């Protein structure tokens, strides 16, 4: 019997060391090394997935000019949002890693998409739920598929034996942290097990040209659990995010070797699964009859998609010694910066006021073009004068009080016009890129904060 070997692994980056270190020499993090049992058996591990019927695609050196540049055929799902995020569909042989908080809807999303692909054979591997639990969720989705198969197993050798029998065209693993390889003497979910099982799935996907989706957990910091090398091994990394107390979810691309990383999909959680949101602007803007102060609409961009969001601000007299600053869905430091600009350049005394800011709909916006709408919402609440609901804003605010230009201004204007807005405030320096003659909406160019204040209040 061979001797069991142990090694120390960094939980952040996966760095392997023969002894414990207080500080990781690779990523520089402190107290991240844990001891794990390992048993390296190279001959057996190389045969963990063996497909003798398929020849190796690249077994010799070739010249780049001799490689054919034909477009890869993609597998289109019934979900237009997922197709957009993946860059136009599922690429054969790709390895996709999906991360998200517990209960956010990762399993529901990919069970729903797998059931909709009735023209291909799909294998759903679950290491967390029983077949009865998955059947209950499928019954709630009310989608029938006779080519959808379940396997509740965590041992990779058993999984690959069943895959050779079924020969599926799509494999979904829920989750990668539950899989266990017999070639590693470590507990499931450990760094060495995650790295080894992902490598086996990668070899299977590349040799058989079968797309594989790996559903993974995330840490309390929001990063995908496991070593960072896990994200480098896969072709695409998707992040499924959102607040559990809201119905909306965002599927965001972190890495994509086959498309843009600037795409995202928006879903609404319902009792019958996830519904695609084709026009998120109508959902994120509340339909109100009365004109209320402290509300402004911003034309923002999420990836390549324009959308309008509602910014809500509340400015009240401070009753404590230190004024409060609270922001939901917006960077608190950015809010403090905008308040300093209003204090210095506009002469508004926000230093004695409590300020509360909220982005309606439960989403988080990082686009700097929302600055102008935040500023107008703050001024509206400060003066207790409502901003017209037919006006929206798109502009970045600089430290000297100037309104800076933002990218893709024509897409923002077109989205505001489509939703029936009468007027949009943009930067004067965006005027060259925005040809207002082809829009039916009034485009108002402004250069400084005081210009916006004089026109609105």
């Amino acid at each position: 019997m061979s001797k069991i070997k142990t090694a120390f692994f960094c939980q952040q980056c996966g760095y392997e060391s023969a002894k414990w270190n207080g500080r990781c020499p690779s990523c520089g993090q402190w107290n991240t090394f844990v001891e794990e049992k390992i048993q390296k058996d190279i001959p057996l591990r190389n045969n963990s997935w063996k497909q003798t019927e398929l020849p190796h695609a690249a077994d010799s050196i070739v010249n780049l000019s001799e490689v054919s540049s034909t477009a890869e055929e993609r597998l289109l799902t019934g979900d237009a949002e997922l197709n957009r995020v993946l860059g136009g569909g599922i690429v054969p042989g790709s390895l996709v890693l999906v991360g998200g908080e517990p209960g956010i809807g990762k399993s529901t999303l990919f069970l729903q998409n797998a059931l909709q692909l009735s023209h291909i054979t799909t294998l759903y591997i679950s290491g967390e739920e029983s077949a009865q639990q998955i059947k209950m969720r499928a019954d709630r989705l009310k989608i029938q598929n006779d080519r959808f198969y379940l396997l509740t197993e965590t041992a990779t050798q058993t999984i690959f034996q069943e895959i050779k029998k079924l020969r599926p065209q799509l494999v979904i693993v829920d989750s990668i942290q539950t899989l266990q390889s017999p070639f590693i003497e470590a507990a499931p979910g450990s760094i060495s097990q995650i790295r080894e099982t992902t490598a086996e799935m990668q070899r299977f996907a590349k040799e058989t040209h079968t797309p594989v989706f790996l559903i993974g957990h995330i840490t309390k910091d929001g990063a995908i659990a496991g070593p960072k090398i896990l994200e480098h091994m896969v072709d695409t990394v998707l992040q499924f995010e959102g607040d559990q107390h809201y119905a909306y979810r965002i599927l965001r691309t972190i890495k994509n070797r086959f498309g843009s990383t600037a795409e995202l999909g928006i879903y609404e959680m319902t009792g019958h699964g996830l519904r695609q949101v084709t026009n998120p602007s109508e959902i994120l803007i509340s339909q109100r009859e009365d004109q209320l102060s402290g509300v402004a609409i911003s034309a923002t961009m999420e990836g390549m998609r324009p959308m309008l969001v509602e910014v809500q601000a509340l400015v009240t007299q401070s009753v404590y010694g230190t004024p409060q600053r609270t922001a939901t869905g917006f960077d608190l430091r950015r809010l403090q910066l905008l308040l300093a600009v209003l204090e210095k350049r506009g002469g508004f005394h926000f230093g004695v006021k409590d300020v509360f800011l909220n982005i309606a709909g439960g989403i988080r916006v990082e686009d700097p073009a929302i600055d102008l709408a935040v500023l107008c919402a703050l001024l509206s609440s400060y003066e207790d004068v409502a901003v017209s609901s037919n006006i929206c804003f798109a502009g970045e605010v600089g430290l000297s009080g100037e309104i800076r230009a933002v990218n893709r201004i024509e897409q923002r204007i077109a989205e505001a016009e489509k939703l029936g807005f009468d007027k949009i405030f943009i930067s004067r320096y965006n005027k060259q890129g925005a040809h207002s003659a082809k829009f039916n909406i009034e485009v108002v160019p402004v250069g400084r904060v005081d210009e916006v204040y004089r026109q609105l209040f």
Side-chain angles (χ1 to χ4, degrees):
M1 181 177 179
S2 59
K3 182 180 178 181
I4 296 177
K5 299 179 181 180
T6 61
F8 293 87
F9 294 90
C10 174
Q11 294 177 298
Q12 293 292 329
C13 65
Y15 181 83
E16 182 178 352
S17 174
K19 62 180 182 178
W20 185 87
N21 291 317
R23 185 174 184 267
C24 177
S26 177
C27 64
Q29 298 293 321
W30 290 88
N31 298 325
T32 57
F33 275 90
V34 293
E35 184 179 12
E36 294 182 3
K37 296 179 181 179
I38 58 173
Q39 181 66 45
K40 296 183 178 179
D41 194 345
I42 301 301
L44 287 176
R45 187 188 299 181
N46 289 336
N47 293 326
S48 60
W49 168 257
K50 189 69 175 177
Q51 187 72 21
T52 56
E53 291 85 352
L54 292 175
H56 292 285
D59 53 0
S60 61
I61 299 176
V62 294
N63 191 286
L64 181 62
S65 60
E66 299 176 359
V67 180
S68 61
S69 59
T70 56
E72 187 78 43
E73 293 186 3
R74 294 176 181 255
L75 175 64
L76 293 178
T77 69
D79 189 340
E81 300 293 308
L82 181 60
N83 291 335
R84 178 188 295 111
V85 170
L86 292 174
I90 303 174
V91 177
S94 62
L95 193 64
V96 181
L97 176 63
V98 186
E101 294 182 358
I104 204 68
K106 304 183 298 297
S107 301
T108 302
L109 174 64
F110 286 94
L111 177 63
Q112 177 177 316
N113 278 281
L115 289 172
Q116 291 175 349
L117 292 170
S118 58
H119 59 286
I120 65 171
T121 303
T122 304
L123 177 61
Y124 189 96
I125 302 169
S126 177
E128 298 180 343
E129 297 178 298
S130 64
Q132 289 76 18
Q133 291 175 308
I134 300 174
K135 174 63 175 176
M136 290 172 59
R137 184 184 293 119
D139 292 340
R140 190 170 69 248
L141 296 175
K142 298 180 179 179
I143 304 175
Q144 296 294 328
N145 186 353
D146 295 333
R147 302 183 66 177
F148 179 84
Y149 296 89
L150 289 176
L151 176 62
T152 55
E153 182 60 57
T154 58
T156 56
Q157 290 302 291
T158 306
I159 290 173
F160 288 136
Q161 289 176 5
E162 297 298 325
I163 285 177
K164 289 180 180 179
K165 298 177 184 177
L166 183 63
R167 293 186 177 273
Q169 297 165 278
L170 175 65
V171 175
I172 300 174
V173 179
D174 184 15
S175 66
I176 186 63
Q177 276 84 7
T178 62
L179 296 192
Q180 186 175 14
S181 173
F183 309 113
I184 297 293
E185 296 290 336
S190 60
I191 292 174
S192 54
Q193 279 287 5
I194 293 175
R195 187 163 51 183
E196 175 63 23
T197 53
T198 303
E200 293 182 12
M201 286 294 174
Q202 182 188 41
R203 288 193 290 270
F204 158 71
K206 301 305 178 185
E207 291 183 15
T208 63
H209 296 283
T210 304
V212 178
F213 283 87
L214 306 177
I215 299 177
H217 301 161
I218 66 170
T219 63
K220 61 181 181 180
D221 297 329
I224 296 178
K228 199 68 177 176
I229 193 175
L230 183 63
E231 299 182 32
H232 295 287
M233 294 171 64
V234 300
D235 299 311
T236 305
V237 180
L238 305 180
Q239 187 83 11
F240 201 43
E241 58 191 40
D243 194 331
Q244 295 185 13
H245 302 290
Y246 290 90
Y248 310 115
R249 307 285 189 268
I250 294 178
L251 185 62
R252 196 183 303 272
T253 311
I254 307 298
K255 168 190 174 182
N256 193 357
R257 289 174 177 164
F258 310 111
S260 172
T261 57
E263 297 289 352
L264 66 115
I266 302 179
Y267 298 88
E268 180 184 6
M269 178 64 77
T270 66
H272 301 288
L274 289 159
R275 184 183 69 86
Q276 306 172 41
V277 178
T278 56
N279 190 2
S281 301
E282 296 181 352
I283 296 177
L284 298 175
I285 299 176
S286 61
Q287 306 296 327
R288 59 185 188 279
E289 298 178 357
D290 300 331
Q291 297 288 338
L292 303 175
S293 64
V295 177
I297 307 299
S298 174
T300 182
M301 297 287 296
E302 278 289 344
M304 301 293 291
R305 169 185 287 188
M307 54 192 292
L308 300 186
V309 297
E310 181 177 302
V311 181
Q312 301 173 346
L314 179 62
V315 179
T316 62
Q317 190 68 32
S318 178
V319 296
Y320 301 102
T322 303
Q324 299 183 64
R325 304 285 187 261
T326 304
T328 304
F330 189 73
D331 188 6
L332 181 59
R333 291 173 295 182
R334 189 72 180 174
L335 172 61
Q336 294 171 343
L337 183 148
L338 295 176
L339 291 175
V341 170
L342 290 174
E343 186 92 23
K344 177 72 174 179
R345 307 298 179 186
F348 298 96
H349 301 293
F350 281 94
V352 294
K353 303 284 187 180
D354 289 339
V355 177
F356 305 93
L357 188 73
N358 177 49
I359 306 299
I363 68 169
R364 182 171 184 82
V365 181
E366 298 179 355
D367 185 7
I370 200 177
D371 287 353
L372 187 55
V374 171
L375 186 141
C376 292
L378 292 171
L379 291 175
S380 173
S381 181
Y382 183 90
E383 299 287 354
D384 201 16
V385 177
V387 177
S388 175
S389 58
N390 294 324
I391 300 177
C392 64
F393 306 89
E396 180 183 357
V397 178
L399 291 180
S400 60
E402 81 278 12
I403 310 300
R404 301 174 59 87
V406 295
N407 60 352
R408 298 189 180 92
I409 189 63
E410 291 194 357
Q411 293 178 254
R412 303 174 194 265
I413 298 175
E415 181 71 12
E417 179 186 356
K418 184 177 71 174
L419 292 179
F421 284 83
D422 299 331
K423 187 184 297 185
I424 180 171
F425 283 76
I426 67 171
S427 171
R428 179 182 300 161
Y429 308 104
N430 262 133
K431 186 63 176 177
Q432 297 178 353
H435 303 287
S436 58
K438 66 179 183 180
F439 296 109
N440 295 323
I441 185 175
E442 181 184 354
V443 180
V444 182
V446 289
R448 293 186 58 81
V449 172
D450 52 356
E451 295 181 35
V452 182
Y453 179 79
R454 285 195 300 268
Q455 295 201 40
L456 292 177
F457 308 102

